[in-house]
Amino acid sequence: MIRVLLADDEELIRLALAALLDLEPDIEVVAHAADGRAALAAALAHRPDVAVLDLEMPPPGGVAVAAELARVLPACAPVILTGHGRPAQLRPALAAGVRGFLAKGAPGGALADVIRRVRSGARYVDPALAADALTLPECPLTPRELETLRLAELGTPVAVIARRTHLAAGTVRNHLSACVQKLGAADRAEAVRRAREAGWL
C-alpha cells in the first residue's frame, strides 16, 4: 500500500480527494491536514510515502512544506496540487524537492497515477504548465519578495503580512518596496498587476 498524506485548507477538497483515493486498491490515506504546520506534524507522526500538498494553504505553503520534508523525511515524495498553477512556481517547487505538480482540474484518476509515479521515483509535471514554464521570462524577485507581494495582492495591511510571514513590519515594507522597484511599477498595486501578467504570481 502507498501511504498518503493529504494537506489542503479546504475541507471539502480534502474529503473529496480522500474519497477518490480510497477507491484505489493500492493507496491508503493515512492523515489529513488543513495547513502547512499540521501537514509537517502529520508527516512526522504517520511517515507517509507521498504527501499531497496544496500550493497555497496557510503557512507554510506547499513548497515550503516540501522543502522541509526533503530535510526531515526524505523518503516522502511531495506532490503539489494547485488550482492556480503558474509557470513561475514550477522551478522553485522542483528545487524544493517536489516530485509532482498537478492542477486541481485534472481528471479524476490523474492524482492516483501521479502518486504511483512519484512513489516509484519518477517525476510528473502538468504538461501545459511545463510548456509555459519554458517560455517564461526569469522573475527578478526573490521567493520571499514574491510571497510578500502575493499576500499584499488584496490590499492586506503590512502588519497582517508581517504576522503571516513571521517577519518584522519593516522587513515586509522593504520587500514590497523592492518589488515595486524591480518591476518598474509606480506602486504596490501595479507591481502585483505586472507580476501577475508575467505569470510570476
Side-chain angles (χ1 to χ4, degrees), residues 132-146:
D132 289 345
L134 291 173
T135 60
L136 184 72
E138 191 70 33
C139 178
L141 307 179
T142 67
R144 188 60 107 167
E145 287 166 352
L146 272 174

Side-chain angles (χ1 to χ4, degrees), residues 56 86 88-89 139-158 160-162 164-165 167-169 171-201:
E56 295 180 349
R86 290 182 283 276
Q89 297 162 330
C139 178
L141 307 179
T142 67
R144 188 60 107 167
E145 287 166 352
L146 272 174
E147 178 189 13
T148 306
L149 191 62
R150 187 174 293 113
L151 290 170
E153 187 171 7
L154 300 175
T156 308
V158 167
V160 174
I161 297 172
R164 289 186 185 169
T165 56
L167 296 171
T171 304
V172 169
R173 279 191 284 275
N174 288 343
H175 284 325
L176 292 174
S177 177
C179 292
V180 169
Q181 181 183 359
K182 288 180 179 181
L183 297 178
D187 56 25
R188 189 189 308 181
E190 186 181 352
V192 167
R193 182 178 55 75
R194 289 189 178 193
R196 184 158 290 289
E197 287 172 356
W200 300 322
L201 279 182

Side-chain angles (χ1 to χ4, degrees), residues 24-168:
E24 303 293 330
D26 58 338
I27 295 175
E28 178 188 9
V29 176
V30 296
H32 293 248
D35 60 49
R37 285 184 189 84
L40 286 168
L44 289 172
H46 296 275
R47 303 189 111 39
D49 302 307
V50 177
V52 177
L53 310 167
D54 180 32
L55 179 68
E56 295 180 349
M57 63 185 160
V63 173
V65 171
E68 183 63 11
L69 286 176
R71 189 180 71 79
V72 299
L73 201 62
C76 179
V79 172
I80 292 289
L81 196 60
T82 177
H84 315 286
R86 290 182 283 276
Q89 297 162 330
L90 189 55
R91 190 173 290 129
L94 294 175
V98 170
R99 305 292 304 172
F101 207 98
L102 183 67
K104 286 183 179 176
L111 179 57
D113 291 340
V114 171
I115 287 170
R116 291 183 189 101
R117 263 192 221 199
V118 301
R119 177 66 177 113
S120 70
R123 285 187 184 218
Y124 177 85
V125 175
D126 180 90
L129 195 61
D132 289 345
L134 291 173
T135 60
L136 184 72
E138 191 70 33
C139 178
L141 307 179
T142 67
R144 188 60 107 167
E145 287 166 352
L146 272 174
E147 178 189 13
T148 306
L149 191 62
R150 187 174 293 113
L151 290 170
E153 187 171 7
L154 300 175
T156 308
V158 167
V160 174
I161 297 172
R163 274 198 307 276
R164 289 186 185 169
T165 56
H166 306 289
L167 296 171

